[in-house]
Amino acid sequence: MSRPLTAIVNLNALRNNLAVARRHASQACVFAVIKANAYGHGLERSALALREADGFALLELDAAVRLRELGLRQRILLLEGYFDMRDLQVMVEYGIDAVVHCHDQIRMLSGLRASDALDIAVKVNTGMNRLGFAGDEFPAALAELRGKEVVRNMMVATHFADADGERGVTWQMEEFRRLTEGSGLPRSAANSAAVLRYPETHFEWVRPGIMLYGCSPFPEKTGAELDLIPAMTLASEIIAVQRLRRGDIVGYGSMFVADREMRIGVVACGYADGYPRHAPNGTPVLVGDRIVPTVGRVSMDMLCVDLSNLSVAGIGSRAVLWGDGNSVENIAHAAGTVGYELLCALAPRVPVIESGK
Ligand SMILES: *Cc1c(COP(=O)(O)O)cnc(C)c1O
């Protein structure tokens, strides 16, 4: 038998979660965001499961080309645009749309032939201060792009810094409205948090990512509360059991010391699989149908759980690290990070199984 750790990707969950996004933004077209290998779920399988989306958004040009080669015909938008002339030519060739966020990218357009055509999303910086033209340079950039023969269709895009948090979106929305109101162009602003919480941000195109994978964008809400289904379940088995006496330790650095007799299960999953090394004692693992706490430091290939109160569990018992019955949000919270980071860091060595075809 091979090592029991697998990531099960539930294609029905992806479809369900896209339907939830559509229900919230029923007037808008949806770019399904599938950057970073579809947040760790696998680019091709995720794109095919989400093929009802109106478009796909990602950053990696080679991945975008693969989508075209798979036969997907909808819009594909590169969220950071192109980095050099070669990228730009490939995008023209494959009909891949580009975010244009800086003057360098506008200049590169002059290197295309007059017969070339490109659809673009002009990015405006409304306060996040990551990508995009500043408010005072945006009108001139837009005018310049309107004058380019190679620019076919345009839309305007921005990104929110705090759609999932307390500050919200109003402060950025005022600027976005002011700059784009008279443009007559389609607009795109909403990430998952804005899709779920702020209908006024939906405009013509929304860009949900994390919610498609069943993970809540909000710190205080789980995916289940939002009708989302986890698309990835990271599951393994107990491969060894140890009996501890009072004073015995578990794992590197003696980070856990038993204060009584205990029964410990060793799970085949560690940080080289993508499980967070910073998960402290007490991080939840679902063994059988019960949540049990981790004990000791997560090592490269294994982690340990307390089975003292779960006598039915032993070697071969199923252990869900995250996913069905043990939400990735909880693991992320315990480890001081977000579900996004855990999902997209799933290690290549973990075999993926598809369910819900
Ligand atoms: C990643 C990304 C999204 C999706 O964000 P989620 O929080 O995962 O929904 C949308 N827009 C841009 C520009 C992004 O980079």
Side-chain angles (χ1 to χ4, degrees), residues 84-127:
D84 56 29
M85 210 46 222
R86 273 190 50 139
D87 285 1
L88 186 50
Q89 272 152 356
V90 171
M91 293 171 72
V92 167
E93 183 185 343
Y94 284 89
I96 295 164
D97 307 355
V99 160
V100 170
H101 65 82
C102 64
H103 292 291
D104 254 4
Q105 288 178 325
I106 297 184
R107 269 193 292 278
M108 271 188 256
L109 291 170
S110 313
L112 292 176
R113 288 170 306 210
S115 57
D116 289 337
L118 184 74
D119 293 342
I120 65 171
V122 193
K123 186 99 176 237
V124 54
N125 174 12
T126 53

Side-chain angles (χ1 to χ4, degrees), residues 11 20 49 80 115 134 181 184 191 235 238:
L11 305 177
V20 173
E80 292 178 351
S115 57
E181 208 97 73
N191 57 2
I238 307 284

Side-chain angles (χ1 to χ4, degrees), residues 125-126 135 170-180:
N125 174 12
T126 53
T170 314
W171 59 289
Q172 286 185 266
M173 279 292 283
E174 282 168 4
E175 175 77 342
F176 191 51
R177 281 230 161 79
R178 182 180 72 77
L179 289 166
T180 60

